[in-house]
Amino acid sequence: MTTVEEAEKIILAQLKDHGVETVPFEEALGKVLAEDIKADRDLPPFNRVTMDGIAIAYQAIEQGITTFKIKATQAAGEQPIDIDATDECIEIMTGAALSPSVDAIIRYEDLEIKDGTAKLLITDIKHGQNIHQKGKDKKQGDTVAAANQLITPAIISLAASVGKAELKVKKMPKVMIISSGDELVDVADTPSGYQIRRSNNYTIKAVLTQHGLDADMLHIPDNPEITRQQIQSCLQNYDAILLSGGISMGKFDYIPQALEDLQVKKLFHKVQQRPGKPFWFGRHDNGVLVFAFPGNPVATFMCLHRYFLLWLNATLGLPAKPPAYAQLTKDFTFMPQLKYFLQVKLNFTEQGVLSAHPIEGNGSGDFANLADTDAFIELPPERNEFKKGEVFRVFNFNVCSLI
């Protein structure tokens, strides 16, 4: 069998650049930035007031002046107003551009304003206080967001602030999700006593949607000719095919033969892991990749997160995330010599340590158990006893969770 580490290495050797497209910046959230965003002017573009109050020349403080005549009131967005004398001030609002004639802001809370004058109630005043200096954050031409990172709300804000109405982003690979088998019926249908509703394909699509990829779906009946024709069409129109089930050696598992007939080269089959031991991975000569996950829901879910999302991030040029680790909250035993991906609930201890509490289900068919967990913790195959307090790598699958 292929080890988990070998499987990962083989998959990550199959990377491909899918190109770049330009999208409106407000539609770029969750995509991968394909260009550096640069400041079109200094940030901030002027000496910016950060508190409502008055603007004075600090020279007045050095001269012992404590009462100021209010010359005018200036709102944000208005042209800066100069003072003409050291004992004058401008009543000014947060966000306003500061005149060169003033260089300190006194908050309303530290003033007594009456009859057109402002009297200081404090003595501790510093030169330049409550002013966000021009170019303090970035200079014109500086990179404000580098390429090859996920576009977050913060980057959307940066793009808007520098006038980038459109952004270059990495194109997502075209992905087809295939389910198969006459025992599977549509969600809206009523299954017979021996059938079940299709769910793995919707699970895969939902996970990919969370990661910004809009995949297509297809269901293939147990018919060898239809299976071959449908897969052949997918190999001509997609970059990756994700299969859930139908890759075993049963009499009605026609997919392995179809893949062989269509010259999809097997790069590995069976991985030293549980769940997901029957995982199959291959590549067509035209570069299309086939991820054939075992049909059991938990196995499909784990392989999708452990392998496909790893490949997706890498093929989009995202830097590898540093591994996350968590501490077991209780002893656990697992006998087979397989790497075990145990479902866990994540939490933080009072000491700030990430903990993983095992939530044991009823095998890889127990998809209901996934709703009670956050992650898989990866337990090594050379051992069968794992003690409370030991630390192992975790793969989080709950995007709303702790890590």
Side-chain angles (χ1 to χ4, degrees), residues 213-227:
L213 196 159
D214 185 18
D216 294 329
M217 293 195 300
L218 171 69
H219 183 74
I220 300 177
D222 286 330
N223 179 295
E225 183 57 27
I226 293 176
T227 298

Side-chain angles (χ1 to χ4, degrees), residues 31-273:
K31 298 183 183 297
V32 177
L33 188 62
E35 61 175 328
D36 292 344
I37 300 177
K38 295 184 181 294
D40 64 333
R41 55 181 181 164
D42 289 349
L43 294 178
F46 45 77
N47 289 340
R48 177 181 173 273
V49 176
T50 63
M51 291 283 182
D52 295 332
I54 63 169
I56 65 170
Y58 184 72
Q59 181 183 2
I61 303 301
E62 295 176 323
Q63 294 175 4
I65 298 173
T66 59
T67 301
F68 299 86
K69 302 170 189 174
I70 298 175
K71 178 183 177 182
T73 300
Q74 181 188 330
E78 294 182 345
Q79 183 174 338
I81 301 172
D82 295 331
I83 61 171
D84 301 313
T86 311
D87 64 348
E88 286 186 340
C89 70
I90 303 298
E91 196 169 353
I92 201 160
M93 305 302 134
T94 300
L98 206 58
S99 160
S101 64
V102 289
D103 52 13
I105 306 299
I106 316 298
R107 305 181 307 165
Y108 277 134
E109 295 93 323
D110 301 324
L111 298 168
E112 180 184 289
I113 296 180
K114 187 177 180 181
D115 298 329
T117 63
K119 181 180 179 180
L120 301 184
L121 300 179
I122 60 171
T123 57
D124 184 17
I125 297 170
K126 296 180 175 61
H127 179 262
Q129 70 178 32
N130 300 322
I131 300 171
H132 193 177
Q133 297 290 336
K134 178 184 178 182
K136 177 71 172 178
D137 300 340
K138 296 288 182 180
K139 299 293 186 184
Q140 183 179 9
D142 283 354
T143 297
V144 297
N148 299 321
Q149 62 174 306
L150 279 177
I151 297 173
T152 62
I155 292 177
I156 295 292
S157 174
L158 283 172
S161 70
V162 301
K164 286 286 288 184
E166 294 182 325
L167 292 174
K168 292 180 180 179
V169 299
K170 298 286 186 72
K171 282 185 179 179
M172 285 286 185
K174 292 182 64 178
V175 174
M176 172 61 81
I177 303 165
I178 298 179
S179 57
S180 64
D182 294 341
E183 77 280 10
L184 301 176
V185 301
D186 190 67
V187 174
D189 294 339
T190 300
S192 72
Y194 308 103
Q195 294 177 313
I196 58 174
R197 293 186 178 91
R198 294 195 289 273
S199 62
N200 278 359
N201 54 341
Y202 292 101
T203 302
I204 295 171
K205 184 174 177 65
V207 170
L208 298 186
T209 299
Q210 285 183 323
H211 292 267
L213 196 159
D214 185 18
D216 294 329
M217 293 195 300
L218 171 69
H219 183 74
I220 300 177
D222 286 330
N223 179 295
E225 183 57 27
I226 293 176
T227 298
R228 193 190 68 80
Q229 291 174 355
Q230 294 280 26
I231 292 179
Q232 183 178 34
S233 176
C234 292
L235 288 170
Q236 295 169 349
N237 294 287
Y238 291 88
D239 299 305
I241 299 172
L242 305 187
L243 292 155
S244 179
I247 199 70
S248 300
M249 300 303 295
K251 289 186 176 181
F252 299 99
D253 290 331
Y254 299 119
I255 290 175
Q257 187 60 52
L259 293 173
E260 183 178 335
D261 292 344
L262 295 168
Q263 298 181 327
V264 179
K265 181 181 178 181
K266 178 181 72 176
L267 298 180
F268 65 76
H269 185 202
K270 295 185 178 179
V271 180
Q272 190 182 357
Q273 64 185 15

Side-chain angles (χ1 to χ4, degrees), residues 292-326:
F293 304 136
N296 280 323
V298 178
T300 291
F301 198 73
M302 189 282 289
C303 289
L304 179 67
H305 284 83
R306 181 63 180 84
Y307 299 104
F308 181 79
L309 292 183
L310 185 74
W311 172 84
L312 177 64
N313 288 341
T315 204
L316 291 173
L318 289 172
K321 293 181 180 179
Y325 294 88

Side-chain angles (χ1 to χ4, degrees), residues 351-371:
Q351 292 73 37
V353 175
L354 185 64
S355 67
H357 184 70
I359 307 290
E360 297 180 58
N362 296 307
S364 57
D366 185 6
F367 56 89
N369 197 53
L370 288 170

Side-chain angles (χ1 to χ4, degrees), residues 1-43:
M1 279 187 291
T2 305
T3 67
V4 168
E5 292 75 18
E6 290 168 342
E8 178 181 313
K9 184 177 180 180
I10 291 169
I11 290 170
L12 291 182
Q14 306 298 322
L15 303 183
K16 177 184 176 182
D17 186 349
H18 299 282
V20 171
E21 61 183 342
T22 301
V23 300
F25 83 99
E26 64 267 36
E27 297 176 11
L29 185 66
K31 298 183 183 297
V32 177
L33 188 62
E35 61 175 328
D36 292 344
I37 300 177
K38 295 184 181 294
D40 64 333
R41 55 181 181 164
D42 289 349
L43 294 178

